[in-house]
Amino acid sequence: MFTGMLALVVTAFLVEAARRVAPVVGLVDRPNERKAHKGSIPLVGGIAIFSGFLLVMMVSGYASDYWAFLLAAAVLVAVGAWDDVRGLDPVVRLLFQAGAVLIVAVGENAYVSDLGTIVPVIGNLHLGWMAMPFTVIAGVGIINAFNMSDGVDGHCGTLTLVALTGLGTVAAVAGKQSELMLIITLAGGLIGFLFYNVRLPGRDQAKVFLGDAGSYLLGLSVLYFTVRLSQGPERAMPPVAALWFCMVPLVDTIGMILRRIRRGRSPFSPDREHIHHIFLHAKFSVTATWIGLAGVAIAGMLIGLLGTITGTSESFMFSAFLVVGALYYLMVMRAWRVMRFLSRSINRRNEVKIDRRTAGDRRRETSIYYVDGIPMERRTGEDRRLGQRRDVEEEAAAAAAKLADKNQPDLEAGNKAARIH
């Protein structure tokens, strides 16, 4: 607990110092068509969390025992920071992420050797020669899942904190003191960062962002602790429990990839169709979105913990997770209907600041709705009536012009006869 408190204080100090230096080196996030924050926000959260974690590990004398993890984390933080400043090709990012996972897998033998008994007829599903490739693919997937969840203030950090809470509880129950110390230290640093990243009363936006450096670090950390606790003869939890600990980022990322492929788009193309975007489009505030999705993540974590403690069948837990993923996919494929339902039935709020809207208020209201992720504008009744009047006037003018053209020869003939007479 002391290391956790020390990491919290050190990280908070580093965040405060780094956010003042970030504009000088260009490590800031500027608003654009996909980012609605005001002004430039420092992207120093990941650097501060890693620096605080490393300092506490060195002070406690544990740094040398986990050199591979710290080296892999340093690589991802450096790559993420460079990506934040200059930008990197997606393929280059994937290669560095795969290399970091390999460092941990080879350096500490921290790789996925079996998936547990998720298929009863097979028994314990050993991966054999596929263990290392599977670890790299799964590791890159988890890193990017947490990276893609970093779209709302406090969201990625909170999802990681929920996962670490589940992993830390498992480690404590199983007596895994080394893993517990690491988890508490990282969680302490994460809490120190979240003080600057969430929207506290009187603060309308975050003071700092994680940046790619931070989301890469958090994704790698969750992967590392999961492997250490779920593999080997003295495992503390079944591998399937990790799916529930990371339920929100995993189902959202898998659903997003399937949705983009179905529409003929690259899985790496950016958009605003993640689950947190759906809540925002449904007129939930950033804080309400953060709290609501945190509640969903906590529910998933508790299911994973309950299944682990009670010894629930791994195949049942896996099947239940697949059902949740399928339901989520069906929901996002009908995202525009879901947003309308959430906006009208759950999150009723007045666009005008009165208790009850009048008929005039409703006629003046405009709104945006989405069809397959494409924004459509719904016109007000006043706009529709104005458009109808314009249509009638245009039709009358066209008819008059047509009649004039038709009568033009007769008029010219009459004028000619009059001149001759």
Side-chain angles (χ1 to χ4, degrees):
M1 295 303 296
F2 172 75
T3 60
M5 293 297 299
L6 181 61
L8 188 155
V9 173
V10 171
T11 301
F13 173 79
L14 291 174
V15 169
E16 185 63 37
R19 75 185 187 92
R20 302 177 185 277
V21 179
V24 178
V25 297
L27 197 57
V28 293
D29 193 20
R30 297 179 176 85
N32 55 33
E33 66 278 2
R34 294 192 303 111
K35 302 174 182 179
H37 59 265
K38 302 174 184 177
S40 299
I41 307 297
L43 293 165
V44 298
I47 297 174
I49 293 172
F50 174 71
S51 299
F53 182 78
L54 179 61
L55 287 174
V56 173
M57 293 291 290
M58 293 175 64
V59 170
S60 60
Y62 283 93
S64 59
D65 296 335
Y66 303 101
W67 66 270
F69 170 64
L70 294 174
L71 176 60
V75 169
L76 286 187
V77 169
V79 171
W82 182 265
D83 194 17
D84 288 330
V85 176
R86 299 291 184 180
L88 284 175
D89 185 87
V91 176
V92 176
R93 291 201 301 265
L94 292 177
L95 289 175
F96 275 107
Q97 292 166 3
V101 175
L102 274 175
I103 291 175
V104 174
V106 176
E108 294 191 27
N109 289 323
Y111 57 88
V112 182
S113 58
D114 70 83
L115 300 178
T117 56
I118 58 175
V119 182
V121 295
I122 298 178
N124 198 6
L125 187 57
H126 291 279
L127 295 176
W129 64 271
M130 284 291 295
M132 198 65 70
F134 179 87
T135 301
V136 172
I137 294 173
V140 170
I142 291 175
I143 291 171
N144 282 281
F146 279 88
N147 175 250
M148 292 177 184
S149 70
D150 189 23
V152 173
D153 294 346
H155 185 46
C156 182
T158 302
L159 294 182
T160 306
L161 191 60
V162 170
L164 292 178
T165 301
L167 292 167
T169 303
V170 168
V173 172
K176 301 284 187 178
Q177 295 300 317
S178 296
E179 288 80 1
L180 180 60
M181 187 274 296
L182 288 173
I183 292 170
I184 290 178
T185 303
L186 182 61
L190 189 54
I191 293 172
F193 157 75
L194 284 173
F195 284 135
Y196 292 86
N197 188 236
V198 299
R199 299 195 176 189
L200 299 175
R203 182 194 298 170
D204 60 354
Q205 66 178 10
K207 287 188 174 182
V208 296
F209 289 161
L210 267 176
D212 288 337
S215 57
Y216 293 170
L217 169 66
L218 298 183
L220 177 70
S221 301
V222 172
L223 168 71
Y224 177 69
F225 299 138
T226 296
V227 172
R228 286 186 65 95
L229 292 172
S230 67
Q231 300 298 308
E234 298 181 357
R235 66 180 59 181
M237 69 179 193
V240 70
L243 298 178
W244 289 99
F245 292 161
C246 307
M247 180 183 69
V248 172
L250 288 182
V251 298
D252 186 44
T253 300
I254 295 172
M256 175 274 301
I257 291 175
L258 295 176
R259 188 167 64 253
R260 289 177 181 173
I261 292 175
R262 179 177 175 178
R263 294 175 180 171
R265 296 165 52 195
S266 168
F268 305 107
S269 60
D271 58 30
R272 291 182 60 84
E273 298 181 16
H274 291 282
I275 187 170
H276 48 272
H277 293 136
I278 293 177
F279 274 74
L280 293 176
H281 291 323
K283 301 180 183 177
F284 279 79
S285 67
V286 170
T287 301
T289 299
W290 164 55
I291 295 175
L293 292 177
V296 175
I298 291 172
M301 181 267 291
L302 292 176
I303 292 174
L305 274 181
L306 183 63
T308 300
I309 295 173
T310 59
T312 303
S313 168
E314 295 178 38
S315 60
F316 177 80
M317 293 177 64
F318 182 64
S319 300
F321 183 82
L322 293 180
V323 170
V324 171
L327 291 175
Y328 170 77
Y329 180 73
L330 292 175
M331 181 193 76
V332 295
M333 289 307 295
R334 294 161 177 79
W336 67 277
R337 293 181 183 176
V338 174
M339 285 186 285
R340 291 178 62 188
F341 170 77
L342 291 174
S343 179
R344 293 182 178 182
S345 302
I346 299 178
N347 194 40
R348 290 183 181 273
R349 294 189 305 180
N350 299 323
E351 294 294 333
V352 292
K353 302 300 182 180
I354 57 178
D355 293 336
R356 298 291 296 174
R357 293 183 300 167
T358 65
D361 295 328
R362 287 192 292 269
R363 287 194 294 272
R364 288 193 297 270
E365 181 184 9
T366 58
S367 61
I368 301 295
Y369 66 97
Y370 288 72
V371 177
D372 290 335
I374 300 174
M376 304 290 181
E377 183 174 359
R378 181 181 291 108
R379 297 185 300 168
T380 65
E382 189 173 327
D383 291 336
R384 285 195 297 272
R385 289 191 296 276
L386 179 60
Q388 290 171 355
R389 288 197 297 270
R390 287 176 177 172
D391 292 341
V392 171
E393 293 172 358
E394 290 174 358
E395 290 177 2
K402 185 176 181 181
L403 182 60
D405 293 338
K406 182 179 179 180
N407 296 331
Q408 186 67 24
D410 296 337
L411 179 62
E412 292 178 353
N415 292 336
K416 182 176 181 181
R419 288 194 299 272
I420 292 173
H421 178 71

